Structure formats: structure tokens, C-alpha cells
Amino acid sequence: MGLEAGLLDTISSPEDLRRVPADRLDDLAGEIREFLVDSVSRTGGHLGPNLGVVELTIAIHRVFESPTDSIVFDTGHQSYVHKLLTGRHDFSLLKKQGGLSGYPSRAESEHDIVESSHASSSLSWAEGIAKARVLSGEPHRHTVAVIGDGALTGGMSWEAINNIAVERELPLVIVVNDNERSYAPTIGGLADHLAALRTTRKYEQMLDWGKTTLKGTPVVGDLVYETLHGVKRGIKDIVYPQQGMFEDLGIKYVGPVDGHDEAAVEQALRRARAYGAPCIVHVITEKGRGYQPALDDQADHMHGIGKINPETGLPFEVAGRIWTDEFSDEMVRLGEERPDLVAITAAMMIPVGLDKFAEVYPQRVIDVGIAEQHAVTMASGLAYGGMHPVVAVYATFLNRAFDQMLMDAGLHHAGVTFVLDRAGVTGSDGASHNGMWDMSICSIVPGLRLAAPRDGEQVKTQLREAVSVADAPTVIRFPKGDVAEPLTAVRTDGALDVLHDATDPQVLIVGVGSMCPTALQVAEKLEAQGHPTLVVDPRWVLPVSEDVVRLARTAQHVVVIEDNLVSSGIGAAVTHALGAADVPARVHTFGIPKEYLEHASRGQVLEAIGLTPDVIGTQLIARLSAHE
């Protein structure tokens, strides 16, 4: 699908966009959608969300003047159109090393502000920015927060709204991009509320007619209109009681607006901009707009895709079996055996693999929306009530619910199992999606037990072991991508699986989860240099097994290899355990450095941080030689 030069090629900044005649904007929107389908189908990325915000993003950049005005995108995966309109047209390396980030990036453009892709934070960011403008004597500089109806299910959004509501002169516009979805359809009370708001257009149109027609009537026109306007809230409270929610909070509400009518969106945004106080603009959009394969995808309207055929929307390669599939299938089997098993997800039923469980046991699945904190505390309540909840989230999203894990699940000895998908280096989604902190934060929860399966068979086995624990939180974590080939233990030693044996080992290597294949390759390099090496998989890496301590007494060197923050991960825990037991072996830890990692493939990231067999082996050989 080749693209000819057109309007989009003439736009390198929002200033260029504002010079485009209004009657050509539909043509521009069409070009942008064609560009997105053509480009993202080659690289993979977030297609559906961006197809849905084309007219909305055009209108925002025509009404507001970035970067003088600040635009904050919640989660940021819907920022591709924003990138195009701010001069970034080379999508050939999207989400790849050296190319554009899949999210806003300050390194790319002065128009980008918030890089984190964790949901529900935009309103807090926006209030802070807007407040700073006022305090700095620049109230003419507006701040726009673009937040989806899915992200509004997060409690942080409502904490922000509660504070924004008391700001009477804050130059802040909140755009609610309502497509009835986050990844999948948005659920919960807020979703029902927004659905009700979508039905009120005729009532608003009647009021507009009253303003233009009744006020023009001699003598009594103004009086009749003011009377009608005065009962506006009363009519809403009777007919559409939900509509008044935002105004009850003290925030002006404009909408609902057809998000694909660019002129209507512009008009609404200009009204909000001129209001002089916080204002919500409710825009209804269609995820996947303009691309039939996306609209036909009922699961998530092609929220995130790999490389596809743009003509058909079908992937070029059939996806292999991934780690998530192992968890998904075992949950279904466990559900039949354990009627007390309940699955919880935070708006990610399909990505974390709970969709199969939901099909078989719909009454035992709870989707809380983007509300990880609530998920964990509710799970603690379920455990108290006699159920065994399994909370499945991405590893990086567990960060948001750490206090609840510590004080609700941990303190109360709740039998809750956490399943952390996308643990370790995920790569292409960038810094905020790498699951590199989970073992660090879990390590400080008293009583918590954490397993890192090395392959798909261990995912299933260790999940069963985890849900059998009723008196403490348990955690299972595994990476993104194709599942590893099974690694069969040569023997067991206590609670440990021995993956490579040695008599009188000089070196004990502790492989953590998906890093076990790396550990085996490092062992080969060490033994080739005359260093007998024993490789073990502890399986349950927290707390540190007494069997690891025991075996460490037989070696001169202990090596821990993990895909977690090295300064406070499993290596640090092993170092502490050996020190407390007066084990004299020298400990060498290899993991992820304390820095935010640039987007690239998983392999490229591991290479960049030196977490590969060649680099680890070379460093260890040098250290062992120096120690002899």
C-alpha cells in the first residue's frame, strides 16, 4: 500500500496544521489513517487506539498551541497522531532501537511531556502543570489532559478530579476520550455513567434551540429562556440523573461530542478553552475507526498488533505458544478442581490470559477496571471470606499496588496469588513497561513467597503450588514472548532443581526463572576454562532457600543471574542470606542496572546491559582468575 504525497507531508508542526483550510481536514484525517495502517502494519504497535483519535488530535492541535499550551496523554499509546502533527513522520523503526518510541518521549520532541505509560496519571500531571502556570504568572498557557474512559476507572483519576473541582480559575481542559474501551470494553459504574451521558444529545440540542429561538422572541423571550435554563438541572436529575455528576463536583461539562466531527470537537474545545476554569469535554470516538479489520476485531479492535497484512489485517506469521498460554490453560484446569478459585484482572482480561477462564467460569472472574490497588485489597477480602484469589497483572503494574500488597495482603497473611506477566525486560514498550522491579518490591514483604518458573511446565507446576498456600501472599512471575523450551533437571537437591551437575564445584550458579538457559551457557564457558560449576534453579526464589545456603558452603563463588534490578533483587537477597549464615563464598550478582532502559528488542536491551552469556562468562572468568 504505497502513499502519495499529500496534506500530511506539508505538516511539520502544529502551526502548519492550523493553516490547513477547514474544508480539507477530512482529507487530512483520511491520509493520517492510511499512513497509520500502512506504517504500523509494517512495525507493529498500537493501531486501534490511534485510528480512533485522528479528528480529536487534529482539533486539539488547532485549538491549543503546543508547546506553549501543554498536552498530556494518559497512557500515551494514543499519541501516534500527535507525533505526526508535531513533525515526526518516520515510523519505519517505531518501537525499535533508534526509532520512535511507542509513547510520548521528551527526547523526541518539546511537544511531549509524560513518558510513563501507566494509566490514570494524566489528570494529576495536568493539574500540577496548570497550577504551575498560574503561580508563574502565565494563566494564558492552557493544559489539556486527554484521558480515556478506561483510565477514568483508576482511583488516581478521581483523587485528581476531587482536587481539580475546587480550582476555580485553573486553565485546564480535560478531554474524556470515550470509546467504551481500555483494552477491551470498559466496565463498571463509570462506564454505565458515560453510557447514560451518550443518550442526552437531544436534550442539549433542545437547550441550544431555546437559546437561539426563545431569546429572540420580543418581551418574554429572555424570561422564558432563563426559566427553561433554570430548570435544566432539575430536568437532568429526573430524566438523566447521572448527567449532573461532573457539574455536582463543580467542573463544567461540555458534551457529548461526536469525536469524528472535527468541527464539532473544535467548537467544544474552544468553548472549554474560553471558560476560564477546569472544564470536561466528553468526546465519543470509535476505536479502530476507518479500518474494517480493526472494527471487526471484537476482542480489542486491534489495540496492539504485530506485523500484519494491511489489506486483510491478518498477521504474517502464526504466533507461537507464549508464557501466558501456559498460565491460561492451567487456570482453567485449576478452576475445575478448585471451586474457591477466583480470578481478578485490572482491565486486561485477554492480555494476561484470563479470557479462557472467564468463558468457563464467568461468575468467578472479576474485572476491576484500571484499579490495581482496589484489586489487591479486594483480593485480601476474598481470601478472608474463604476464596483463593489469583490477581493477574503485568509485572510493572504491580508497582501501583505495592502498599496494598504490603499492608493488606502481607500483613493479614492473605492467601492471594499474584501472577505477574511481562516480568523482566520486555524491550520495545520502553522504560515504563519493563518488569524489572517486581522481585525487588516483593522481597521486602514479610512472609511473601515468590516463584520464577524457568519454562512452561514450571509455570503450571508452580501455579499449583502457589494456590495451595493459604496463609501468605504468593507470586509467580514470567516474561513476555514465546515460552522457553522445557529444561529438565538432572536431579533434585532438597527444594532445588539441579540443571547442571559438578563434583566439588568451584562455582555455584543460581539461575532465576527465564535466565536459567543463560546460566547454563555461562557454566559451559566456565567449565571450558577449568572451573567446575554447579547450576541450580531454586524455583521458589523468595525467601532464599536454606538449600541454596547449604550448597553455597561447598563452593568458593556463588553467581546469581536474574532479569530484575540487580541492586535489590534475588542476588542481593542471596548475598544477605549467605552473610547472615557466615558463608565465606564470594557472591557475584548479574541483573538489570538501576536505570531506565531505552526501547529496543529484548535481545538488544540484554546486550546493552551486559546480561548475556558471553559478557557474564567473560567477566566471571576474569574475576575467578584474579581470585586464584
Side-chain angles (χ1 to χ4, degrees):
M1 185 188 298
L3 293 178
E4 298 179 357
L7 277 172
L8 181 57
D9 296 308
T10 69
I11 296 173
S12 60
S13 69
E15 289 81 3
D16 295 332
L17 172 66
R18 288 190 283 272
R19 286 192 287 268
V20 175
D23 61 1
R24 297 296 311 281
L25 293 178
D26 285 345
D27 295 333
L28 175 61
E31 287 185 27
I32 291 174
R33 286 195 170 89
E34 186 179 2
F35 177 95
L36 290 173
V37 171
D38 182 77
S39 297
V40 181
S41 67
R42 299 172 189 269
T43 62
H46 288 99
L47 181 60
N50 287 284
L51 291 173
V53 298
V54 175
E55 290 86 0
L56 171 59
T57 310
I58 289 173
I60 288 172
H61 275 294
R62 282 173 64 87
V63 174
F64 298 93
E65 298 182 5
S66 177
T68 300
D69 296 326
S70 299
I71 303 171
V72 178
F73 290 93
D74 205 288
T75 68
H77 59 244
Q78 76 278 39
S79 64
Y80 293 7
V81 183
H82 164 78
K83 288 176 184 277
L84 287 171
L85 299 179
T86 52
R88 288 165 279 178
H89 293 190
D90 183 1
F91 275 48
S92 60
L93 293 176
L94 178 68
K95 298 179 66 177
K96 293 179 171 55
Q97 191 174 48
L100 290 179
S101 168
Y103 299 93
S105 169
R106 291 182 180 181
E108 286 180 11
S109 173
E110 63 180 344
H111 298 280
D112 290 3
I113 296 173
V114 178
E115 302 186 13
S116 171
S117 56
H118 287 194
S120 309
S121 66
S122 63
L123 302 188
S124 298
W125 269 99
E127 184 189 11
I129 294 169
K131 191 73 172 177
R133 303 300 189 212
V134 172
L135 294 173
S136 301
E138 299 178 299
H140 61 284
R141 299 180 65 181
H142 284 73
T143 303
V144 182
V146 183
I147 184 168
D149 55 310
L152 271 179
T153 63
M156 189 175 176
S157 296
W158 293 95
E159 293 177 22
I161 287 175
N162 184 56
N163 283 272
I164 290 169
V166 301
E167 299 283 358
R168 301 305 181 193
E169 297 182 357
L170 206 61
L172 171 61
V173 175
I174 300 169
V175 177
V176 175
N177 172 30
D178 179 6
N179 61 20
E180 304 180 64
R181 290 175 172 265
S182 45
Y183 290 87
T186 305
I187 57 90
L190 178 69
D192 294 340
H193 163 72
L194 291 176
L197 292 182
R198 295 182 200 111
T199 69
T200 64
R201 293 186 187 180
K202 289 184 178 179
Y203 175 68
E204 298 295 344
Q205 290 169 357
M206 183 268 288
L207 287 175
D208 289 341
W209 170 83
K211 183 174 182 179
T212 56
T213 305
L214 292 178
K215 292 192 73 171
T217 303
V219 185
V220 298
D222 285 343
L223 179 60
V224 172
Y225 174 72
E226 291 302 325
T227 301
L228 175 63
H229 189 71
V231 299
K232 174 180 178 179
R233 290 295 298 278
I235 293 174
K236 285 184 177 179
D237 288 343
I238 295 170
V239 182
Y240 303 111
Q242 301 98 326
Q243 174 115 15
M245 181 179 71
F246 292 116
E247 291 182 354
D248 285 344
L249 289 170
I251 304 176
K252 178 67 175 176
Y253 172 87
V254 176
V257 181
D258 181 352
H260 303 296
D261 183 338
E262 196 281 335
V265 178
E266 268 199 49
Q267 182 183 37
L269 291 174
R270 293 188 190 283
R271 287 173 58 193
R273 191 180 194 278
Y275 183 60
C279 183
I280 289 175
V281 179
H282 180 192
V283 179
I284 301 173
T285 62
E286 182 180 39
K287 193 173 184 179
R289 177 85 169 191
Y291 185 47
Q292 196 59 45
L295 297 177
D296 292 340
D297 177 18
Q298 293 304 307
D300 63 4
H301 287 341
M302 289 190 171
H303 179 86
I305 62 170
K307 296 180 182 180
I308 63 170
N309 182 332
E311 300 295 336
T312 65
L314 298 175
F316 282 115
E317 297 180 359
V318 178
R321 190 164 180 82
I322 62 175
W323 291 83
T324 310
D325 293 332
E326 304 289 350
F327 162 68
S328 180
D329 291 345
E330 194 64 16
M331 275 294 290
V332 174
R333 286 188 284 267
L334 282 168
E336 182 177 3
E337 302 168 19
R338 295 276 302 265
D340 63 328
L341 206 66
V342 178
I344 301 174
T345 178
M348 303 185 74
M349 188 79 72
I350 296 172
V352 299
L354 286 178
D355 49 323
K356 292 181 181 178
F357 188 89
E359 290 176 6
V360 183
Y361 310 107
Q363 299 305 313
R364 287 194 274 152
V365 174
I366 304 170
D367 186 343
V368 300
I370 302 178
E372 293 86 358
Q373 293 173 302
H374 168 63
V376 175
T377 301
M378 183 188 64
S380 301
L382 282 166
Y384 177 76
M387 309 302 288
H388 191 103
V390 176
V391 180
V393 296
Y394 283 6
T396 184
F397 296 158
L398 181 67
N399 302 357
R400 313 197 82 171
F402 170 67
D403 181 65
Q404 288 70 31
M405 169 184 273
L406 180 66
M407 292 299 173
D408 294 320
L411 176 63
H412 294 90
H413 306 283
V416 177
T417 295
F418 297 87
V419 175
L420 307 183
D421 204 325
R422 273 69 164 177
V425 172
T426 55
S428 61
D429 280 327
S432 64
H433 264 53
N434 286 311
M436 54 187 274
W437 295 281
D438 58 287
M439 291 195 287
S440 296
I441 64 177
C442 288
S443 70
I444 65 174
V445 178
L448 179 143
R449 308 173 206 182
L450 186 145
R454 65 179 180 267
D455 57 32
E457 290 302 311
Q458 287 297 310
V459 169
K460 293 183 286 189
T461 300
Q462 293 182 268
L463 177 62
R464 285 181 170 271
E465 295 170 359
V467 299
S468 70
V469 176
D471 61 351
T474 52
V475 179
I476 308 289
R477 56 105 68 181
F478 49 80
K480 177 183 180 180
D482 293 340
V483 68
E485 290 295 323
L487 284 177
T488 303
V490 297
R491 65 182 175 90
T492 58
D493 190 322
L496 314 180
D497 279 355
V498 177
L499 303 182
H500 179 81
D501 217 344
T503 303
D504 298 325
Q506 179 188 11
V507 181
L508 169 65
I509 298 182
V510 178
V512 177
S514 64
M515 300 307 291
C516 283
T518 299
L520 287 171
Q521 293 178 61
V522 170
E524 290 180 9
K525 296 179 182 298
L526 295 182
E527 293 206 325
Q529 297 297 316
H531 304 289
T533 302
L534 178 68
V535 180
V536 300
D537 171 13
R539 301 181 67 253
W540 288 87
V541 295
L542 290 174
V544 175
S545 170
E546 288 297 323
D547 293 312
V548 170
V549 176
R550 174 176 52 80
L551 283 182
R553 294 186 186 277
T554 68
Q556 296 172 310
H557 299 268
V558 176
V559 178
V560 181
I561 304 175
E562 62 186 300
D563 54 351
N564 184 81
L565 198 64
V566 70
S567 62
S568 55
I570 305 306
V574 169
T575 300
H576 177 78
L578 298 187
D582 293 323
V583 175
R586 183 182 178 190
V587 183
H588 309 266
T589 58
F590 295 89
I592 301 173
K594 191 186 293 185
E595 60 187 55
Y596 297 106
L597 306 177
E598 294 292 331
H599 64 278
S601 71
R602 173 179 164 85
Q604 288 170 329
V605 172
L606 293 175
E607 186 75 37
I609 63 178
L611 203 54
T612 63
D614 286 342
V615 174
I616 295 171
T618 300
Q619 290 184 15
L620 281 173
I621 290 168
R623 294 179 191 178
L624 296 180
S625 299
H627 193 71
E628 292 176 347

